[in-house]
């Protein structure tokens, strides 16, 4: 769905030569190619293609960059969530409080790990889980709470920590989009039992295919996730499971990371700070050009916190009137957009058995109806931002309501 469209060929979007694809990394990739080629050659020479030395090197480099005790490389951000939930001790039937507005994997991971999502509404300013709503969703079966950090800022981690403490819940963070974001100096994903990273190509640090990681400061969570990604193999006597010394101690999955993806990610990691700075510049350019535009109801709003929080623009998301008509208009003019997220999770058919109704989580539902993501990636030119904003203004100028 959004992932496939995000990779539309930038060359075919229109005939004017001025198309603005939703995502492209063609020019930065050309710059990075020598570093990537060197790393790929290393993989070929070492002959370890999965779960090999470059994956280990990437895990070390990321752990240092994030300030995490452990980074466990896996096949995708989604797998990372499932393994994190299992490693953090989710048991069959346990409930996890999840925001009703997120990528579907935030909640489907809970089901795949044997649990049950308990949906709660978001704070409409940050799109993050609202602590008061999270507290109201707690039942005797609730064991965990999953704040999701979306687009450009963190969910209210202090508020969530308070709820977690009051109800004895484990915090697991869906920090798939949040690389580079810190709360009071601590990187996203490291405020509870653990978090995840996604290296899907469009993410702030993207591979050339699927990859992800579990990040944690908890030795036991890291060791269990590392075993689960590799068929449940610990491969030695287990400190944390006394008496268990079998090689395969848990039913695991095959979610090893490819060394070829690690080769790409290691090359791109050196540019991460520059990429984040470029994203911030482009976001500022959008905000300047769209401020006061009729039809645009909300631009990204930085929420004041008592502690330092570093925003990182993974996505430039606006809320607009006549969203679907705007999306069509932009597409007709060669501008790619994405609808993050089109359906609130409590109304997704795959969660129909939970018995939710429209109207239950009004902030999540409003965001799904009005939000649209504009193109934002380091290769984007300021002239392209100009073009997108001019088209948005033309749309609302012409379609006065
Ligand atoms: C991208 C993303 C995921 C899933 O990551 P994949 O690597 O695509 O599996 C999960 N949660 C959120 C919020 C995401 O943005």
């Amino acid at each position: 769905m959004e992932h496939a469209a995000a990779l539309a060929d930038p060359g075919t979007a229109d005939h004017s030569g001025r198309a603005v694809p939703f995502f492209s990394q063609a020019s930065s990739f050309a710059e990075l190619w020598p570093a990537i080629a060197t790393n790929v050659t290393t993989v070929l020479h070492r002959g370890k293609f999965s779960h090999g030395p470059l994956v280990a090197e990437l895990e070390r480099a990321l752990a240092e960059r994030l300030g995490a005790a452990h980074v466990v490389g896996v096949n995708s951000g989604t797998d990372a969530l499932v393994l994190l939930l299992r490693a953090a001790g989710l048991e069959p039937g346990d409930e996890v409080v999840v925001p009703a507005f997120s990528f579907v994997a935030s909640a489907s991971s809970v089901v795949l790990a044997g649990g049950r999502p308990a949906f709660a509404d978001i704070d409409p300013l940050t799109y993050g889980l609202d602590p008061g709503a999270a507290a109201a969703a707690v039942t005797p079966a609730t064991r965990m709470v999953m704040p999701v950090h979306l687009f450009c800022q963190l969910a209210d981690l202090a508020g969530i920590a308070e709820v977690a403490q009051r109800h004895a819940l484990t915090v697991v963070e869906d920090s798939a989009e949040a690389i580079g974001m810190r709360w009071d100096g601590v990187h996203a994903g490291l405020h509870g039992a653990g978090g995840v990273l996604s290296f899907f190509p469009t993410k702030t640090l993207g591979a050339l295919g699927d990859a992800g990681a579990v990040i944690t400061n908890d030795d036991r969570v890291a060791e269990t996730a590392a075993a689960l990604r590799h068929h449940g193999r610990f491969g030695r006597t287990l400190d944390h499971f006394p008496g268990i010394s079998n090689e395969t101690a848990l039913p695991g999955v095959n979610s090893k990371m490819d060394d070829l993806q690690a080769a790409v990610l290691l090359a791109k990691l050196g540019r991460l700070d520059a990429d984040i700075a470029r994203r911030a510049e482009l976001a500022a350019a959008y905000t300047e050009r769209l401020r006061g535009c009729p039809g645009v109801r909300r631009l990204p709003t930085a929420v004041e916190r008592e502690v330092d929080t570093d925003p990182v623009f993974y996505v430039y998301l606006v809320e607009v009137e006549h969203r679907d008509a705007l999306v069509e208009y932009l597409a007709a003019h060669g501008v790619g957009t994405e609808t993050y997220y089109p359906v609130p999770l409590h109304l997704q058919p795959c969660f129909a058995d939970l018995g939710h109704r429209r109207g239950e989580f009004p902030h999540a539902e409003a965001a799904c109806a009005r939000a649209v993501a504009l193109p934002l990636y380091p290769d984007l030119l300021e002239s392209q931002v100009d073009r997108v904003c001019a088209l948005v203004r033309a749309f609302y100028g012409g379609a006065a309501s």
Side-chain angles (χ1 to χ4, degrees):
M1 26 180 265
E2 65 256 37
H3 288 167
L7 287 172
D9 178 353
T12 59
D14 79 353
H15 303 295
S16 69
R18 297 202 297 155
V20 186
F22 181 70
F23 176 73
S24 171
Q25 56 178 338
S27 54
S28 55
F29 192 76
E31 255 174 62
L32 278 164
W33 178 243
I36 293 173
T38 303
N39 290 350
V40 168
T41 305
T42 304
V43 174
L44 293 172
H45 284 159
R46 293 194 185 172
K48 283 281 285 172
F49 297 100
S50 169
H51 198 36
L54 266 79
V55 172
E57 196 180 324
L58 176 69
E59 289 173 339
R60 280 194 299 273
L62 278 169
E64 188 176 328
R65 161 74 213 228
L66 272 47
H70 306 282
V71 172
V72 179
V74 297
N75 223 327
S76 69
T78 302
D79 274 5
L81 280 170
V82 177
L83 268 49
L84 170 65
L85 288 160
R86 287 184 63 188
L90 194 76
E91 306 227 337
D94 286 353
E95 284 185 6
V96 181
V97 180
V98 177
F101 180 68
S102 185
F103 184 53
V104 69
S106 305
S108 48
S109 61
V110 172
V111 175
L112 291 168
R116 189 180 144 99
F119 291 118
D121 212 347
I122 52 165
D123 170 346
L125 281 185
T126 62
Y127 303 104
L129 184 59
D130 178 73
V138 171
T139 74
T142 311
R143 297 284 172 273
M144 298 190 187
V145 56
M146 182 193 288
V148 185
H149 310 300
L150 292 179
F151 313 132
C152 69
Q153 61 189 318
L154 299 174
D156 179 0
L157 284 168
I160 298 294
E162 216 177 279
V163 173
Q165 191 166 22
R166 199 162 358 116
H167 297 279
L169 308 178
T170 300
V171 177
V172 289
E173 291 169 78
D174 181 347
S175 44
E177 301 184 0
I179 194 163
M181 293 194 219
R182 288 172 188 274
W183 176 284
D184 203 11
V186 178
H187 198 279
L190 302 174
H191 293 263
V196 302
L197 296 175
S198 165
F199 307 119
F200 186 77
T202 59
K203 296 274 156 77
T204 305
L205 178 64
L208 291 179
D210 281 303
V214 173
I215 61 177
T216 180
N217 286 332
D218 183 312
D219 297 348
R220 179 178 171 148
V221 168
E223 187 177 40
T224 310
L228 288 171
R229 76 176 156 181
H230 191 194
H231 309 286
R233 288 181 199 166
F234 287 81
R236 57 173 188 75
T237 307
L238 304 174
D239 299 339
H240 299 307
F241 296 87
I244 299 179
S245 59
N246 296 335
E247 194 190 296
T248 302
L250 294 165
V253 296
N254 177 4
S255 186
K256 302 190 292 292
M257 186 191 280
D258 289 337
D259 281 56
L260 286 175
Q261 298 304 346
V264 172
L265 291 166
L266 275 166
K268 289 183 83 173
L269 190 56
R271 276 179 55 130
L272 181 61
D273 288 325
D275 284 352
I276 287 173
R278 177 68 185 149
R279 285 170 174 276
E281 258 171 41
L282 292 163
Y286 269 121
T287 296
E288 194 186 304
R289 287 157 183 70
L290 290 177
R291 192 172 281 130
C293 176
V296 177
R297 297 174 61 142
R298 179 173 291 154
L299 298 172
T301 315
V303 172
E304 287 289 325
R305 302 282 193 199
E306 282 160 22
V307 297
D308 276 352
T309 58
D310 306 338
V312 170
F313 275 88
Y314 161 56
V315 160
Y316 192 88
L317 189 96
V318 295
E319 286 188 39
V320 297
E321 289 161 17
H322 312 296
R323 193 261 323 271
D324 296 344
L326 175 68
V327 164
E328 255 177 59
Y329 176 84
L330 290 175
H333 289 82
V335 174
T337 57
E338 282 295 337
T339 304
Y340 296 132
Y341 293 94
V343 180
L345 297 183
H346 62 291
L347 301 178
Q348 285 280 11
C350 61
F351 305 122
D353 60 325
L354 297 175
H356 289 289
R357 286 164 289 104
R358 189 170 293 279
E360 271 185 80
F361 304 111
H363 295 308
E365 291 172 28
C368 288
R370 292 191 205 127
V372 61
L374 302 176
L376 183 78
Y377 41 90
D379 283 15
L380 192 71
L381 305 171
E382 228 155 288
S383 60
Q384 292 178 302
V385 174
D386 287 343
R387 175 166 158 75
V388 174
C389 296
L391 285 165
V392 171
R393 284 188 173 272
F395 175 77
Y396 289 110
S401 53

